[in-house]
Amino acid sequence: MKNMPLISVIVPAYNVSSSIAMTLDLLQRQTYDNLEIICINDGSTDSTPDIINVLKQNDSRIVLINKENGGVSSARNIGLNNAHGEYVCFFDPGDEADSDFVMYLYKLLLSEKADLAICSYNFKMENGQILDRNRFYEIVDKNTIFNQEEALTEIIKVYGKFCGHVWDKLFIRSKIGAIRFDENIHNCEDTLFDVQYIKNCQKVILGPEVHYDYIQSNTSVTHGKYSYKFHSGLCAWRRIIAELDSYVERELLNKNMSVLVTTYSRMAWKSLNREEQRKYKRDFIKLMNQYHSFSSIKQLIKRIICKVYWLAV
Protein backbone atom coordinates (compact mmCIF):
# COMPACT_ATOMS: atom_id res chain seq x y z
CA MET A 1 0.00 0.00 0.00
CA LYS A 2 2.08 2.87 -1.35
CA ASN A 3 2.29 6.27 0.31
CA MET A 4 0.13 5.20 3.23
CA PRO A 5 1.55 6.11 6.64
CA LEU A 6 2.53 3.43 9.14
CA ILE A 7 -0.10 2.60 11.76
CA SER A 8 0.99 0.88 14.97
CA VAL A 9 -1.53 -1.60 16.39
CA ILE A 10 -0.84 -2.33 20.06
CA VAL A 11 -1.93 -5.78 21.28
CA PRO A 12 -1.52 -6.58 25.00
CA ALA A 13 -1.30 -10.35 25.43
CA TYR A 14 -1.55 -12.27 28.71
CA ASN A 15 -2.40 -15.98 28.66
CA VAL A 16 -4.43 -15.69 25.46
CA SER A 17 -3.18 -18.81 23.72
CA SER A 18 -6.77 -19.68 22.75
CA SER A 19 -7.37 -16.41 20.88
CA ILE A 20 -4.07 -14.76 19.90
CA ALA A 21 -3.78 -16.60 16.57
CA MET A 22 -7.27 -15.44 15.56
CA THR A 23 -6.45 -11.90 16.68
CA LEU A 24 -3.29 -11.74 14.59
CA ASP A 25 -5.09 -13.29 11.63
CA LEU A 26 -7.73 -10.52 11.83
CA LEU A 27 -5.00 -7.88 11.85
CA GLN A 28 -3.02 -9.51 9.05
CA ARG A 29 -6.14 -9.46 6.86
CA GLN A 30 -6.79 -5.74 7.29
CA THR A 31 -7.31 -3.89 4.02
CA TYR A 32 -5.01 -1.23 5.44
CA ASP A 33 -1.84 -3.29 5.39
CA ASN A 34 0.94 -0.82 6.28
CA LEU A 35 0.78 -1.92 9.89
CA GLU A 36 3.19 -2.45 12.74
CA ILE A 37 1.52 -5.10 14.92
CA ILE A 38 3.14 -4.79 18.35
CA CYS A 39 2.34 -7.76 20.60
CA ILE A 40 3.35 -7.30 24.23
CA ASN A 41 3.58 -10.63 26.01
CA ASP A 42 2.74 -9.58 29.56
CA GLY A 43 4.42 -12.45 31.40
CA SER A 44 2.16 -15.17 30.01
CA THR A 45 2.49 -18.62 31.59
CA ASP A 46 0.88 -20.44 28.67
CA SER A 47 1.94 -20.78 25.02
CA THR A 48 0.97 -17.23 24.00
CA PRO A 49 4.56 -16.06 23.19
CA ASP A 50 5.31 -19.30 21.32
CA ILE A 51 2.29 -18.82 19.06
CA ILE A 52 3.24 -15.21 18.34
CA ASN A 53 6.82 -16.26 17.63
CA VAL A 54 5.68 -18.80 15.03
CA LEU A 55 3.36 -16.33 13.30
CA LYS A 56 5.92 -13.53 13.21
CA GLN A 57 8.29 -15.71 11.19
CA ASN A 58 5.98 -15.32 8.20
CA ASP A 59 4.99 -11.68 8.69
CA SER A 60 7.60 -9.01 9.37
CA ARG A 61 4.87 -6.63 10.51
CA ILE A 62 4.44 -8.60 13.75
CA VAL A 63 6.69 -7.50 16.61
CA LEU A 64 6.94 -9.48 19.86
CA ILE A 65 8.01 -7.81 23.10
CA ASN A 66 8.32 -9.96 26.24
CA LYS A 67 7.96 -8.44 29.70
CA GLU A 68 7.18 -9.43 33.26
CA ASN A 69 3.50 -9.44 34.16
CA GLY A 70 2.31 -5.93 35.01
CA GLY A 71 -1.23 -5.67 33.70
CA VAL A 72 -2.85 -4.30 30.56
CA SER A 73 -1.87 -0.67 31.22
CA SER A 74 1.76 -1.65 31.63
CA ALA A 75 1.63 -3.66 28.40
CA ARG A 76 -0.01 -0.85 26.45
CA ASN A 77 2.59 1.60 27.75
CA ILE A 78 5.40 -0.65 26.53
CA GLY A 79 3.64 -0.74 23.17
CA LEU A 80 3.45 3.06 23.05
CA ASN A 81 7.12 3.34 23.99
CA ASN A 82 8.04 1.10 21.06
CA ALA A 83 5.57 2.35 18.45
CA HIS A 84 6.94 3.89 15.25
CA GLY A 85 3.68 4.58 13.41
CA GLU A 86 2.30 8.00 12.62
CA TYR A 87 -0.98 6.70 14.02
CA VAL A 88 -1.80 4.28 16.85
CA CYS A 89 -4.74 2.00 17.57
CA PHE A 90 -5.33 -0.71 20.14
CA PHE A 91 -6.71 -4.23 19.78
CA ASP A 92 -7.54 -6.64 22.59
CA PRO A 93 -7.11 -10.41 22.03
CA GLY A 94 -10.43 -12.22 22.03
CA ASP A 95 -12.27 -9.29 20.47
CA GLU A 96 -13.22 -9.27 16.79
CA ALA A 97 -13.13 -6.82 13.90
CA ASP A 98 -13.85 -6.89 10.20
CA SER A 99 -11.13 -6.42 7.59
CA ASP A 100 -11.94 -2.72 7.10
CA PHE A 101 -11.57 -1.77 10.78
CA VAL A 102 -8.28 0.13 10.47
CA MET A 103 -9.03 1.51 6.99
CA TYR A 104 -12.37 2.90 8.15
CA LEU A 105 -10.78 4.70 11.09
CA TYR A 106 -7.98 6.08 8.91
CA LYS A 107 -10.36 7.40 6.22
CA LEU A 108 -12.64 8.79 8.91
CA LEU A 109 -9.76 10.70 10.50
CA LEU A 110 -8.62 12.13 7.17
CA SER A 111 -12.13 13.04 5.99
CA GLU A 112 -12.27 15.98 8.40
CA LYS A 113 -8.56 16.29 9.28
CA ALA A 114 -9.54 15.30 12.81
CA ASP A 115 -7.26 14.52 15.74
CA LEU A 116 -9.18 11.42 16.85
CA ALA A 117 -11.40 8.99 14.92
CA ILE A 118 -13.97 6.71 16.58
CA CYS A 119 -16.03 3.91 15.05
CA SER A 120 -19.19 2.32 16.39
CA TYR A 121 -19.03 -1.20 17.86
CA ASN A 122 -21.05 -4.17 19.04
CA PHE A 123 -21.21 -5.75 22.48
CA LYS A 124 -21.05 -9.47 21.78
CA MET A 125 -21.39 -12.31 24.27
CA GLU A 126 -18.97 -15.24 24.21
CA ASN A 127 -21.83 -17.41 22.91
CA GLY A 128 -22.13 -15.15 19.84
CA GLN A 129 -25.20 -13.17 20.93
CA ILE A 130 -24.99 -9.51 19.94
CA LEU A 131 -26.58 -7.20 22.51
CA ASP A 132 -28.71 -4.18 21.62
CA ARG A 133 -26.31 -1.24 21.23
CA ASN A 134 -28.99 1.16 22.45
CA ARG A 135 -28.42 -0.23 25.94
CA PHE A 136 -24.85 1.08 26.03
CA TYR A 137 -24.52 4.26 23.99
CA GLU A 138 -26.50 6.69 21.87
CA ILE A 139 -26.32 5.52 18.26
CA VAL A 140 -25.52 8.08 15.55
CA ASP A 141 -26.64 7.68 11.92
CA LYS A 142 -24.00 9.89 10.26
CA ASN A 143 -20.48 11.16 10.78
CA THR A 144 -20.57 13.43 13.84
CA ILE A 145 -17.98 16.11 14.61
CA PHE A 146 -17.12 17.31 18.13
CA ASN A 147 -14.90 20.16 19.16
CA GLN A 148 -12.70 19.70 22.20
CA GLU A 149 -15.24 20.83 24.79
CA GLU A 150 -18.05 18.82 23.19
CA ALA A 151 -15.91 15.67 23.05
CA LEU A 152 -14.83 15.98 26.68
CA THR A 153 -18.44 16.48 27.74
CA GLU A 154 -19.64 13.53 25.64
CA ILE A 155 -17.09 11.04 26.92
CA ILE A 156 -18.01 11.53 30.57
CA LYS A 157 -21.77 11.24 30.06
CA VAL A 158 -23.38 8.17 31.62
CA TYR A 159 -25.09 7.53 28.27
CA GLY A 160 -23.28 9.38 25.50
CA LYS A 161 -22.57 8.97 21.81
CA PHE A 162 -19.19 7.37 22.51
CA CYS A 163 -17.41 5.84 25.50
CA GLY A 164 -13.94 5.75 27.00
CA HIS A 165 -12.62 2.58 25.39
CA VAL A 166 -9.38 2.81 23.40
CA TRP A 167 -9.97 -0.10 20.99
CA ASP A 168 -12.59 1.74 18.90
CA LYS A 169 -10.31 4.72 18.17
CA LEU A 170 -7.40 5.86 15.99
CA PHE A 171 -4.93 8.22 17.67
CA ILE A 172 -2.19 10.46 16.27
CA ARG A 173 1.04 9.36 17.94
CA SER A 174 2.56 12.85 18.09
CA LYS A 175 -0.52 14.05 20.01
CA ILE A 176 -0.23 11.16 22.47
CA GLY A 177 3.22 12.48 23.32
CA ALA A 178 4.06 11.59 26.91
CA ILE A 179 0.52 10.49 27.84
CA ARG A 180 0.53 6.97 29.27
CA PHE A 181 -1.92 4.65 31.03
CA ASP A 182 -1.89 4.80 34.84
CA GLU A 183 -0.59 1.37 35.84
CA ASN A 184 -2.14 1.62 39.31
CA ILE A 185 -5.66 1.86 37.88
CA HIS A 186 -7.31 -1.31 36.56
CA ASN A 187 -10.78 -0.08 35.61
CA CYS A 188 -11.65 2.99 33.51
CA GLU A 189 -7.92 3.57 32.93
CA ASP A 190 -8.71 3.86 29.22
CA THR A 191 -11.26 6.64 29.85
CA LEU A 192 -8.61 8.60 31.75
CA PHE A 193 -6.18 8.10 28.87
CA ASP A 194 -8.79 9.26 26.34
CA VAL A 195 -9.63 12.37 28.36
CA GLN A 196 -5.96 13.34 28.58
CA TYR A 197 -5.59 12.78 24.84
CA ILE A 198 -8.70 14.75 23.85
CA LYS A 199 -7.31 17.72 25.79
CA ASN A 200 -4.67 17.80 23.02
CA CYS A 201 -7.32 17.71 20.27
CA GLN A 202 -9.27 20.35 18.39
CA LYS A 203 -11.58 18.04 16.43
CA VAL A 204 -12.95 14.53 17.08
CA ILE A 205 -14.98 12.54 14.55
CA LEU A 206 -17.37 9.67 15.31
CA GLY A 207 -18.55 7.38 12.51
CA PRO A 208 -21.82 5.37 12.53
CA GLU A 209 -20.41 2.18 10.98
CA VAL A 210 -19.75 -0.84 13.22
CA HIS A 211 -16.32 -2.39 12.62
CA TYR A 212 -15.35 -3.78 16.05
CA ASP A 213 -16.95 -6.40 18.30
CA TYR A 214 -16.18 -6.17 22.01
CA ILE A 215 -16.53 -9.67 23.42
CA GLN A 216 -18.08 -9.68 26.89
CA SER A 217 -16.13 -12.11 29.07
CA ASN A 218 -17.38 -13.35 32.41
CA THR A 219 -13.78 -13.43 33.67
CA SER A 220 -13.04 -9.75 33.03
CA VAL A 221 -12.45 -7.28 35.86
CA THR A 222 -15.91 -5.77 35.25
CA HIS A 223 -17.73 -9.09 35.53
CA GLY A 224 -16.01 -10.82 38.44
CA LYS A 225 -16.33 -10.32 42.18
CA TYR A 226 -16.04 -6.73 43.38
CA SER A 227 -12.36 -6.09 44.08
CA TYR A 228 -9.83 -3.35 44.64
CA LYS A 229 -9.01 -3.58 40.92
CA PHE A 230 -12.62 -2.80 40.05
CA HIS A 231 -12.85 -0.16 42.80
CA SER A 232 -9.86 1.63 41.22
CA GLY A 233 -12.31 2.81 38.56
CA LEU A 234 -13.53 5.38 41.07
CA CYS A 235 -9.93 6.52 41.49
CA ALA A 236 -9.80 6.93 37.72
CA TRP A 237 -12.93 9.08 37.80
CA ARG A 238 -11.55 11.30 40.53
CA ARG A 239 -8.58 11.93 38.24
CA ILE A 240 -10.89 12.51 35.27
CA ILE A 241 -12.90 15.11 37.19
CA ALA A 242 -9.67 16.87 38.15
CA GLU A 243 -8.56 16.82 34.50
CA LEU A 244 -11.86 18.30 33.31
CA ASP A 245 -12.45 20.89 36.02
CA SER A 246 -11.83 23.83 33.67
CA TYR A 247 -13.33 22.18 30.57
CA VAL A 248 -16.73 20.80 31.63
CA GLU A 249 -19.39 22.25 33.91
CA ARG A 250 -18.68 21.23 37.50
CA GLU A 251 -22.33 20.38 38.11
CA LEU A 252 -22.30 17.84 35.26
CA LEU A 253 -19.10 16.28 36.60
CA ASN A 254 -20.60 15.97 40.08
CA LYS A 255 -23.83 14.45 38.76
CA ASN A 256 -21.93 11.84 36.77
CA MET A 257 -19.70 10.99 39.73
CA SER A 258 -22.78 10.68 41.96
CA VAL A 259 -24.29 8.13 39.58
CA LEU A 260 -21.03 6.18 39.42
CA VAL A 261 -20.62 6.07 43.20
CA THR A 262 -24.16 4.73 43.56
CA THR A 263 -23.58 2.16 40.80
CA TYR A 264 -20.33 0.93 42.33
CA SER A 265 -22.00 0.78 45.75
CA ARG A 266 -24.76 -1.50 44.48
CA MET A 267 -22.19 -3.77 42.82
CA ALA A 268 -20.28 -4.06 46.09
CA TRP A 269 -23.47 -4.98 47.96
CA LYS A 270 -24.38 -7.75 45.54
CA SER A 271 -20.88 -9.22 45.32
CA LEU A 272 -19.44 -8.98 48.83
CA ASN A 273 -20.31 -10.19 52.30
CA ARG A 274 -20.52 -7.77 55.24
CA GLU A 275 -16.94 -8.30 56.36
CA GLU A 276 -15.64 -7.64 52.85
CA GLN A 277 -17.87 -4.58 52.45
CA ARG A 278 -16.35 -2.96 55.54
CA LYS A 279 -13.06 -2.60 53.62
CA TYR A 280 -14.80 -0.10 51.34
CA LYS A 281 -17.15 1.59 53.83
CA ARG A 282 -15.00 4.62 54.64
CA ASP A 283 -14.23 5.33 50.98
CA PHE A 284 -17.85 5.08 49.85
CA ILE A 285 -19.14 7.36 52.62
CA LYS A 286 -16.39 9.89 51.83
CA LEU A 287 -17.32 9.83 48.14
CA MET A 288 -21.02 10.25 48.90
CA ASN A 289 -20.31 13.28 51.06
CA GLN A 290 -18.07 14.75 48.35
CA TYR A 291 -20.31 14.15 45.31
CA HIS A 292 -24.01 14.72 45.92
CA SER A 293 -25.57 16.35 42.87
CA PHE A 294 -28.56 14.64 41.25
CA SER A 295 -30.50 14.98 38.03
CA SER A 296 -33.62 13.19 39.28
CA ILE A 297 -35.58 12.32 42.41
CA LYS A 298 -34.98 8.64 41.60
CA GLN A 299 -31.22 9.12 41.80
CA LEU A 300 -31.56 11.02 45.07
CA ILE A 301 -33.59 8.18 46.59
CA LYS A 302 -31.01 5.62 45.45
CA ARG A 303 -28.26 7.69 47.03
CA ILE A 304 -30.12 7.96 50.36
CA ILE A 305 -30.60 4.18 50.39
CA CYS A 306 -26.90 3.69 49.58
CA LYS A 307 -25.73 5.97 52.37
CA VAL A 308 -28.03 4.36 54.94
CA TYR A 309 -26.73 0.96 53.89
CA TRP A 310 -23.06 1.90 54.21
CA LEU A 311 -23.61 3.58 57.56
CA ALA A 312 -25.20 0.34 58.79
CA VAL A 313 -22.39 -1.92 57.53
Short mmCIF file of all heavy atoms in Angstrom, two decimals, residues 119-154:
data_model
loop_
_atom_site.label_atom_id
_atom_site.label_comp_id
_atom_site.label_asym_id
_atom_site.label_seq_id
_atom_site.Cartn_x
_atom_site.Cartn_y
_atom_site.Cartn_z
N CYS A 119 -15.00 4.66 15.77
CA CYS A 119 -16.03 3.91 15.05
C CYS A 119 -17.05 3.37 16.05
O CYS A 119 -16.81 3.33 17.25
CB CYS A 119 -15.41 2.76 14.24
SG CYS A 119 -14.78 1.38 15.23
N SER A 120 -18.19 2.95 15.54
CA SER A 120 -19.19 2.32 16.39
C SER A 120 -18.82 0.84 16.57
O SER A 120 -17.98 0.31 15.84
CB SER A 120 -20.58 2.46 15.76
OG SER A 120 -20.94 3.83 15.69
N TYR A 121 -19.44 0.17 17.54
CA TYR A 121 -19.03 -1.20 17.86
C TYR A 121 -20.20 -1.97 18.45
O TYR A 121 -21.20 -1.40 18.89
CB TYR A 121 -17.86 -1.20 18.84
CG TYR A 121 -18.14 -0.42 20.11
CD1 TYR A 121 -18.73 -1.03 21.22
CD2 TYR A 121 -17.84 0.93 20.19
CE1 TYR A 121 -19.00 -0.32 22.36
CE2 TYR A 121 -18.12 1.66 21.34
CZ TYR A 121 -18.69 1.03 22.43
OH TYR A 121 -18.97 1.75 23.56
N ASN A 122 -20.07 -3.28 18.43
CA ASN A 122 -21.05 -4.17 19.04
C ASN A 122 -20.55 -4.69 20.38
O ASN A 122 -19.34 -4.86 20.58
CB ASN A 122 -21.31 -5.40 18.14
CG ASN A 122 -22.20 -5.07 16.97
OD1 ASN A 122 -23.14 -4.29 17.07
ND2 ASN A 122 -21.91 -5.69 15.82
N PHE A 123 -21.48 -4.96 21.28
CA PHE A 123 -21.21 -5.75 22.48
C PHE A 123 -21.67 -7.17 22.16
O PHE A 123 -22.85 -7.40 21.88
CB PHE A 123 -21.98 -5.21 23.68
CG PHE A 123 -21.38 -3.99 24.29
CD1 PHE A 123 -21.67 -2.72 23.79
CD2 PHE A 123 -20.51 -4.09 25.36
CE1 PHE A 123 -21.12 -1.59 24.35
CE2 PHE A 123 -19.95 -2.95 25.93
CZ PHE A 123 -20.25 -1.70 25.42
N LYS A 124 -20.75 -8.10 22.19
CA LYS A 124 -21.05 -9.47 21.78
C LYS A 124 -20.71 -10.43 22.91
O LYS A 124 -19.62 -10.38 23.48
CB LYS A 124 -20.23 -9.81 20.53
CG LYS A 124 -20.60 -11.10 19.84
CD LYS A 124 -19.81 -11.23 18.54
CE LYS A 124 -20.14 -12.48 17.77
NZ LYS A 124 -19.34 -12.58 16.51
N MET A 125 -21.63 -11.32 23.24
CA MET A 125 -21.39 -12.31 24.27
C MET A 125 -20.50 -13.43 23.73
O MET A 125 -20.41 -13.62 22.51
CB MET A 125 -22.72 -12.89 24.77
CG MET A 125 -23.67 -11.84 25.33
SD MET A 125 -22.98 -10.89 26.71
CE MET A 125 -22.87 -12.16 27.97
N GLU A 126 -19.86 -14.16 24.64
CA GLU A 126 -18.97 -15.24 24.21
C GLU A 126 -19.72 -16.31 23.43
O GLU A 126 -19.11 -17.04 22.63
CB GLU A 126 -18.28 -15.85 25.43
CG GLU A 126 -17.22 -14.93 26.03
CD GLU A 126 -16.51 -15.55 27.23
OE1 GLU A 126 -17.24 -16.05 28.12
OE2 GLU A 126 -15.27 -15.54 27.27
N ASN A 127 -21.04 -16.42 23.64
CA ASN A 127 -21.83 -17.41 22.91
C ASN A 127 -22.26 -16.91 21.53
O ASN A 127 -22.98 -17.60 20.81
CB ASN A 127 -23.06 -17.83 23.72
CG ASN A 127 -24.03 -16.67 23.97
OD1 ASN A 127 -23.87 -15.57 23.43
ND2 ASN A 127 -25.03 -16.89 24.81
N GLY A 128 -21.83 -15.69 21.16
CA GLY A 128 -22.13 -15.15 19.84
C GLY A 128 -23.30 -14.18 19.80
O GLY A 128 -23.52 -13.51 18.78
N GLN A 129 -24.05 -14.08 20.89
CA GLN A 129 -25.20 -13.17 20.93
C GLN A 129 -24.74 -11.72 20.91
O GLN A 129 -23.87 -11.32 21.68
CB GLN A 129 -26.03 -13.42 22.19
CG GLN A 129 -27.22 -12.47 22.33
CD GLN A 129 -27.89 -12.57 23.69
OE1 GLN A 129 -27.41 -13.27 24.58
NE2 GLN A 129 -28.98 -11.85 23.86
N ILE A 130 -25.31 -10.93 20.01
CA ILE A 130 -24.99 -9.51 19.94
C ILE A 130 -26.07 -8.73 20.69
O ILE A 130 -27.27 -8.85 20.41
CB ILE A 130 -24.92 -9.03 18.47
CG1 ILE A 130 -23.75 -9.72 17.75
CG2 ILE A 130 -24.74 -7.51 18.40
CD1 ILE A 130 -23.63 -9.37 16.28
N LEU A 131 -25.64 -7.95 21.68
CA LEU A 131 -26.58 -7.20 22.51
C LEU A 131 -27.02 -5.91 21.81
O LEU A 131 -26.32 -5.40 20.92
CB LEU A 131 -25.92 -6.86 23.85
CG LEU A 131 -25.37 -8.04 24.64
CD1 LEU A 131 -24.76 -7.56 25.96
CD2 LEU A 131 -26.46 -9.08 24.92
N ASP A 132 -28.17 -5.41 22.20
CA ASP A 132 -28.71 -4.18 21.62
C ASP A 132 -27.81 -3.01 21.97
O ASP A 132 -27.63 -2.68 23.15
CB ASP A 132 -30.12 -3.95 22.16
CG ASP A 132 -30.79 -2.72 21.56
OD1 ASP A 132 -30.17 -2.06 20.69
OD2 ASP A 132 -31.92 -2.42 21.97
N ARG A 133 -27.24 -2.35 20.98
CA ARG A 133 -26.31 -1.24 21.23
C ARG A 133 -26.98 -0.08 21.95
O ARG A 133 -26.31 0.70 22.63
CB ARG A 133 -25.71 -0.75 19.90
CG ARG A 133 -24.73 -1.73 19.28
CD ARG A 133 -24.04 -1.11 18.09
NE ARG A 133 -24.93 -0.95 16.96
CZ ARG A 133 -24.94 0.10 16.14
NH1 ARG A 133 -24.11 1.11 16.34
NH2 ARG A 133 -25.77 0.16 15.12
N ASN A 134 -28.27 0.06 21.79
CA ASN A 134 -28.99 1.16 22.45
C ASN A 134 -28.88 1.09 23.97
O ASN A 134 -29.11 2.09 24.65
CB ASN A 134 -30.46 1.13 22.05
CG ASN A 134 -30.68 1.68 20.65
OD1 ASN A 134 -30.49 2.86 20.40
ND2 ASN A 134 -31.06 0.79 19.73
N ARG A 135 -28.55 -0.09 24.49
CA ARG A 135 -28.42 -0.23 25.94
C ARG A 135 -27.15 0.42 26.46
O ARG A 135 -27.03 0.68 27.66
CB ARG A 135 -28.40 -1.72 26.31
CG ARG A 135 -29.71 -2.43 26.11
CD ARG A 135 -29.53 -3.94 26.28
NE ARG A 135 -28.84 -4.29 27.52
CZ ARG A 135 -28.45 -5.53 27.82
NH1 ARG A 135 -28.70 -6.52 26.99
NH2 ARG A 135 -27.83 -5.77 28.97
N PHE A 136 -26.18 0.68 25.58
CA PHE A 136 -24.85 1.08 26.03
C PHE A 136 -24.44 2.49 25.60
O PHE A 136 -23.70 3.15 26.31
CB PHE A 136 -23.82 0.07 25.55
CG PHE A 136 -24.13 -1.33 25.97
CD1 PHE A 136 -24.73 -2.22 25.09
CD2 PHE A 136 -23.86 -1.75 27.26
CE1 PHE A 136 -25.03 -3.52 25.48
CE2 PHE A 136 -24.15 -3.05 27.66
CZ PHE A 136 -24.74 -3.94 26.77
N TYR A 137 -24.87 2.92 24.44
CA TYR A 137 -24.52 4.26 23.99
C TYR A 137 -25.54 4.76 22.98
O TYR A 137 -26.31 3.98 22.41
CB TYR A 137 -23.10 4.30 23.41
CG TYR A 137 -22.86 3.42 22.19
CD1 TYR A 137 -23.08 3.88 20.89
CD2 TYR A 137 -22.38 2.12 22.33
CE1 TYR A 137 -22.83 3.09 19.79
CE2 TYR A 137 -22.13 1.31 21.24
CZ TYR A 137 -22.36 1.80 19.97
OH TYR A 137 -22.13 0.99 18.87
N GLU A 138 -25.56 6.06 22.79
CA GLU A 138 -26.50 6.69 21.87
C GLU A 138 -26.00 6.52 20.44
O GLU A 138 -24.92 7.01 20.09
CB GLU A 138 -26.65 8.17 22.21
CG GLU A 138 -27.66 8.90 21.34
CD GLU A 138 -27.73 10.39 21.67
OE1 GLU A 138 -27.22 10.78 22.74
OE2 GLU A 138 -28.28 11.14 20.83
N ILE A 139 -26.75 5.83 19.61
CA ILE A 139 -26.32 5.52 18.26
C ILE A 139 -26.48 6.73 17.35
O ILE A 139 -27.50 7.42 17.37
CB ILE A 139 -27.13 4.33 17.70
CG1 ILE A 139 -26.85 3.07 18.53
CG2 ILE A 139 -26.79 4.08 16.24
CD1 ILE A 139 -27.70 1.88 18.16
N VAL A 140 -25.45 7.00 16.54
CA VAL A 140 -25.52 8.08 15.55
C VAL A 140 -25.74 7.46 14.18
O VAL A 140 -25.37 6.31 13.92
CB VAL A 140 -24.23 8.93 15.55
CG1 VAL A 140 -24.03 9.59 16.90
CG2 VAL A 140 -23.01 8.09 15.19
N ASP A 141 -26.35 8.22 13.26
CA ASP A 141 -26.64 7.68 11.92
C ASP A 141 -25.81 8.36 10.83
O ASP A 141 -25.99 8.09 9.64
CB ASP A 141 -28.13 7.80 11.60
CG ASP A 141 -28.64 9.23 11.68
OD1 ASP A 141 -27.81 10.16 11.86
OD2 ASP A 141 -29.87 9.43 11.57
N LYS A 142 -24.88 9.22 11.23
CA LYS A 142 -24.00 9.89 10.26
C LYS A 142 -22.72 10.32 10.97
O LYS A 142 -22.66 10.33 12.21
CB LYS A 142 -24.70 11.10 9.65
CG LYS A 142 -25.07 12.17 10.66
CD LYS A 142 -25.79 13.33 10.00
CE LYS A 142 -26.16 14.40 11.02
NZ LYS A 142 -26.87 15.54 10.39
N ASN A 143 -21.71 10.66 10.18
CA ASN A 143 -20.48 11.16 10.78
C ASN A 143 -20.79 12.37 11.65
O ASN A 143 -21.50 13.29 11.22
CB ASN A 143 -19.48 11.57 9.70
CG ASN A 143 -18.89 10.37 8.98
OD1 ASN A 143 -19.11 9.22 9.37
ND2 ASN A 143 -18.12 10.61 7.92
N THR A 144 -20.26 12.37 12.87
CA THR A 144 -20.57 13.43 13.84
C THR A 144 -19.26 14.05 14.33
O THR A 144 -18.36 13.34 14.76
CB THR A 144 -21.35 12.86 15.03
OG1 THR A 144 -22.52 12.16 14.54
CG2 THR A 144 -21.78 13.95 15.97
N ILE A 145 -19.19 15.37 14.24
CA ILE A 145 -17.98 16.11 14.61
C ILE A 145 -18.16 16.74 15.99
O ILE A 145 -19.22 17.29 16.31
CB ILE A 145 -17.66 17.22 13.59
CG1 ILE A 145 -17.67 16.66 12.16
CG2 ILE A 145 -16.32 17.88 13.91
CD1 ILE A 145 -16.59 15.65 11.90
N PHE A 146 -17.12 16.67 16.81
CA PHE A 146 -17.12 17.31 18.13
C PHE A 146 -15.89 18.21 18.24
O PHE A 146 -14.79 17.81 17.83
CB PHE A 146 -17.03 16.26 19.24
CG PHE A 146 -18.11 15.20 19.21
CD1 PHE A 146 -17.91 14.02 18.49
CD2 PHE A 146 -19.30 15.37 19.89
CE1 PHE A 146 -18.88 13.04 18.47
CE2 PHE A 146 -20.28 14.40 19.87
CZ PHE A 146 -20.07 13.22 19.15
N ASN A 147 -16.09 19.39 18.80
CA ASN A 147 -14.90 20.16 19.16
C ASN A 147 -14.38 19.63 20.49
O ASN A 147 -14.95 18.70 21.07
CB ASN A 147 -15.21 21.67 19.20
CG ASN A 147 -16.26 22.04 20.24
OD1 ASN A 147 -16.39 21.38 21.28
ND2 ASN A 147 -17.01 23.11 19.97
N GLN A 148 -13.32 20.23 20.99
CA GLN A 148 -12.70 19.70 22.20
C GLN A 148 -13.67 19.65 23.39
O GLN A 148 -13.81 18.62 24.06
CB GLN A 148 -11.48 20.55 22.57
CG GLN A 148 -10.71 20.04 23.78
CD GLN A 148 -9.62 21.01 24.20
OE1 GLN A 148 -9.90 22.06 24.77
NE2 GLN A 148 -8.37 20.68 23.90
N GLU A 149 -14.33 20.76 23.65
CA GLU A 149 -15.24 20.83 24.79
C GLU A 149 -16.39 19.85 24.65
O GLU A 149 -16.78 19.17 25.61
CB GLU A 149 -15.78 22.25 24.95
CG GLU A 149 -16.68 22.44 26.16
CD GLU A 149 -17.16 23.87 26.31
OE1 GLU A 149 -16.43 24.79 25.91
OE2 GLU A 149 -18.28 24.06 26.83
N GLU A 150 -16.94 19.75 23.43
CA GLU A 150 -18.05 18.82 23.19
C GLU A 150 -17.61 17.37 23.40
O GLU A 150 -18.35 16.57 23.97
CB GLU A 150 -18.58 19.01 21.77
CG GLU A 150 -19.30 20.33 21.55
CD GLU A 150 -19.55 20.62 20.08
OE1 GLU A 150 -18.86 20.02 19.21
OE2 GLU A 150 -20.44 21.45 19.78
N ALA A 151 -16.41 17.04 22.91
CA ALA A 151 -15.91 15.67 23.05
C ALA A 151 -15.67 15.31 24.51
O ALA A 151 -16.00 14.20 24.95
CB ALA A 151 -14.62 15.50 22.23
N LEU A 152 -15.09 16.24 25.27
CA LEU A 152 -14.83 15.98 26.68
C LEU A 152 -16.12 15.85 27.47
O LEU A 152 -16.22 15.06 28.41
CB LEU A 152 -13.96 17.10 27.26
CG LEU A 152 -12.51 17.13 26.78
CD1 LEU A 152 -11.81 18.40 27.25
CD2 LEU A 152 -11.74 15.89 27.25
N THR A 153 -17.14 16.59 27.08
CA THR A 153 -18.44 16.48 27.74
C THR A 153 -19.10 15.15 27.38
O THR A 153 -19.67 14.47 28.24
CB THR A 153 -19.36 17.65 27.32
OG1 THR A 153 -18.75 18.88 27.70
CG2 THR A 153 -20.73 17.53 27.98
N GLU A 154 -18.99 14.75 26.11
CA GLU A 154 -19.64 13.53 25.64
C GLU A 154 -19.05 12.28 26.29
O GLU A 154 -19.78 11.36 26.68
CB GLU A 154 -19.49 13.42 24.11
CG GLU A 154 -20.47 12.47 23.45
CD GLU A 154 -21.91 12.96 23.52
OE1 GLU A 154 -22.12 14.20 23.48
OE2 GLU A 154 -22.81 12.12 23.60
#
